[in-house]
Amino acid sequence: MSTAATRTAGPDHLWTVDEHLEDILATVRPLEPIELQLLDAQGCVLVEDITVPVSLPPFDNSSMDGYAVRVTDVAGASEEYPAVLTVIGDVAAGQAETLHVGPGETARIMTGAPLPPGAEAVVPVEWTDGGLGEGPVTGMRARSQSPEGAGGHVHVYRSAEARAHVRAQGSDVKAGDRALEAGTVLGPPQIALLAAIGRGTVRVRPRPRVVVMSTGSELVQPDEQLGNGQIYDSNSFALTAAARDAGAIAYRVGAVADDAETLRSTIEDQLVRADLMVTTGGVSVGAYDVVKEALSSVGDEDEEGAGIDFRKLAMQPGKPQGFGSIGPDHIPLLALPGNPVSSYVSFELFVRPAIRTLMGLDDVHRPRTRATLTADKALTSPKGRRQFLRGTYADGAVTPVGGAGSHLVAALALADALIVVPEEAESVEPGAEVDVVLLG
């Protein structure tokens, strides 16, 4: 966490969305790289180019179960006039014994097994009688069930060109090639490649640890009984899931009651496992807005300008926001509003980019596009505020879902996009082109 960003604006300053985001991204820094085992590195960002030490495949090998042959020995072979070859043994994947295929000879070969010296091609077992003398077969018999083990003779009914059904050494990647570039997010295919070239560990930026905490004495956990004036805590679940979706290791803390001292102590307890803290609720101007009360006076005594700054943004939903650092390690903390839609929209605009920055990614934002507004009537928006409306996007068109209320969780569940209405617009007519943030 850097405190290079300056917050010189007064308490009555109305921040733009861009100013707030720039302040966050100028402050949050990528986590330091560490060496991790491959499976522990899943979802992490690579910090080094990976060079291939050994070609893949490391040797010429068969792509079929069949017989390794010399091209001249099967030239002109047909069902009427098959080539009859002497089977000298088996070549199985991982087998140490080396066979040499001479004139008139062949070796049974399994998929992935190295092409034996002398052989030039592989004929699939379906092109042969499998050594049974009863016409074409459909598969390879087990060694123990084959005539004379793997010996005897085999009839080959088709010819083969040189290198037929042979996977060449280095046909995937060659020694010295660059397998993966720094900045790559390691998913299952990338981890498979690292394992295939013999890398057991890799240097990455770790996935950020994000602690999500909701506040409010009215909040009840799901599966518990609701009392008068109580609601279920959905924000902490939504934001924890969103943090994981962004690539973080996220920890959810159950709702904290509206008590400043309890909140402060809970945050202090959680700092040990946090690279980023996210609170939701208690940042407005009400008498029980506990986050603002608890953290407004919190600062880092050894760093000038550190602490939590609460501000108003020219946006809807999500006007009240807080941002700063807390604790001896200056852990970044983003304080989001408590209304569910305000909370989620704020996460997408501010927290997700912070998480992606901690990961060391270059592109930290959701993709955006332009779309045609499909609606029954014009959208209205307060002048001077950048509004984000829920919508569904498909085939270059976007349709609003639900109203502008910041409590409409059901509408949020149907949305896969945010419709952006700029600050200078008070209405947007159907058919107009609008900016759209794609959420999934």
Side-chain angles (χ1 to χ4, degrees), residues 36-45 185-188 191 204 207 247:
L36 289 178
Q37 298 287 328
L38 286 190
L39 291 180
D40 293 332
Q42 182 174 356
C44 296
V45 177
V185 179
L186 299 181
I191 288 175
V204 296
R207 293 167 63 197

Side-chain angles (χ1 to χ4, degrees), residues 253-393:
V253 179
V256 179
D258 289 323
D259 177 76
E261 191 53 46
T262 300
L263 177 61
R264 270 194 294 264
S265 63
T266 303
I267 289 176
E268 289 172 1
D269 289 344
Q270 295 296 322
L271 287 174
V272 68
R273 62 172 181 173
D275 298 305
L276 175 70
M277 296 204 68
V278 179
T279 66
T280 171
V283 296
S284 191
V285 293
Y288 292 90
D289 285 329
V290 66
V291 174
K292 195 169 184 180
E293 178 188 353
L295 301 182
S296 289
S297 60
V298 172
D300 296 337
E301 60 278 357
D302 57 341
E303 293 229 18
E304 185 180 352
I308 309 301
D309 182 42
F310 291 90
R311 50 187 67 160
K312 298 174 183 176
L313 269 61
M315 65 179 285
Q316 186 184 53
K319 181 180 179 180
Q321 301 282 338
F323 170 63
S325 67
I326 190 167
D329 294 323
H330 317 298
I331 302 300
L333 184 147
L334 283 91
L336 310 183
N339 279 319
V341 177
S342 303
S343 175
Y344 183 73
V345 170
S346 299
F347 181 96
E348 289 292 341
L349 296 179
F350 308 124
V351 183
R352 183 183 174 91
I355 290 172
R356 308 286 280 180
T357 299
L358 287 168
M359 293 176 66
L361 290 166
D362 292 329
D363 186 4
V364 300
H365 303 288
R366 287 284 198 186
R368 292 189 175 225
T369 189
R370 295 282 288 175
T372 302
L373 177 64
T374 303
D376 296 331
K377 58 182 180 180
L379 302 181
T380 59
S381 183
K383 187 176 182 180
R385 302 265 192 97
R386 187 180 303 180
Q387 184 165 222
F388 296 89
L389 297 169
R390 280 79 69 207
T392 57
Y393 172 82

Side-chain angles (χ1 to χ4, degrees), residues 30-349:
L31 298 176
E32 289 298 315
I34 58 175
E35 191 84 11
L36 289 178
Q37 298 287 328
L38 286 190
L39 291 180
D40 293 332
Q42 182 174 356
C44 296
V45 177
L46 197 61
V47 297
E48 59 182 347
D49 290 344
I50 301 294
T51 301
V52 178
V54 59
S55 296
L56 291 181
F59 46 79
D60 291 350
N61 70 90
S62 176
S63 66
M64 304 286 287
D65 292 331
Y67 289 85
V69 301
R70 290 157 37 98
V71 171
T72 56
D73 289 340
V74 295
S78 66
E79 288 199 36
E80 186 176 2
Y81 299 105
V84 182
L85 304 177
T86 301
V87 181
I88 61 172
D90 275 1
V91 183
Q95 181 177 305
E97 179 186 358
T98 301
L99 299 176
H100 187 283
V101 176
E105 296 178 338
T106 185
R108 292 204 317 167
I109 191 167
M110 313 306 151
T111 302
L115 189 70
E120 300 164 314
V122 173
V123 291
V125 66
E126 294 88 351
W127 296 4
T128 77
D129 69 350
L132 303 177
E134 300 174 357
V137 295
T138 58
M140 186 83 74
R141 279 197 175 193
R143 179 185 178 95
S144 61
Q145 298 174 349
S146 299
E148 302 177 21
H153 294 84
V154 66
H155 291 68
V156 180
Y157 302 119
R158 290 175 62 175
S159 61
E161 298 179 355
R163 311 296 291 175
H165 307 295
V166 174
R167 296 185 290 216
Q169 177 183 7
S171 57
D172 190 354
V173 289
K174 294 180 173 60
D177 286 352
R178 184 167 58 186
L180 296 171
E181 293 184 354
T184 300
V185 179
L186 299 181
Q190 293 75 31
I191 288 175
L193 176 56
L194 289 166
I197 62 175
R199 287 292 294 261
T201 63
V202 68
R203 192 163 177 78
V204 296
R205 295 193 191 277
R207 293 167 63 197
R209 300 165 302 159
V210 177
V211 173
V212 176
M213 185 183 307
S214 56
T215 64
S217 297
E218 78 281 10
L219 299 178
V220 174
Q221 298 310 298
D223 287 334
E224 294 181 6
Q225 188 69 36
L226 283 179
N228 289 334
Q230 293 183 321
I231 60 173
Y232 286 119
D233 172 21
S234 63
N235 283 0
S236 66
F237 286 91
L239 300 188
T240 302
R244 291 175 179 174
D245 182 70
I249 299 170
Y251 305 105
R252 176 188 159 273
V253 179
V256 179
D258 289 323
D259 177 76
E261 191 53 46
T262 300
L263 177 61
R264 270 194 294 264
S265 63
T266 303
I267 289 176
E268 289 172 1
D269 289 344
Q270 295 296 322
L271 287 174
V272 68
R273 62 172 181 173
D275 298 305
L276 175 70
M277 296 204 68
V278 179
T279 66
T280 171
V283 296
S284 191
V285 293
Y288 292 90
D289 285 329
V290 66
V291 174
K292 195 169 184 180
E293 178 188 353
L295 301 182
S296 289
S297 60
V298 172
D300 296 337
E301 60 278 357
D302 57 341
E303 293 229 18
E304 185 180 352
I308 309 301
D309 182 42
F310 291 90
R311 50 187 67 160
K312 298 174 183 176
L313 269 61
M315 65 179 285
Q316 186 184 53
K319 181 180 179 180
Q321 301 282 338
F323 170 63
S325 67
I326 190 167
D329 294 323
H330 317 298
I331 302 300
L333 184 147
L334 283 91
L336 310 183
N339 279 319
V341 177
S342 303
S343 175
Y344 183 73
V345 170
S346 299
F347 181 96
E348 289 292 341
L349 296 179

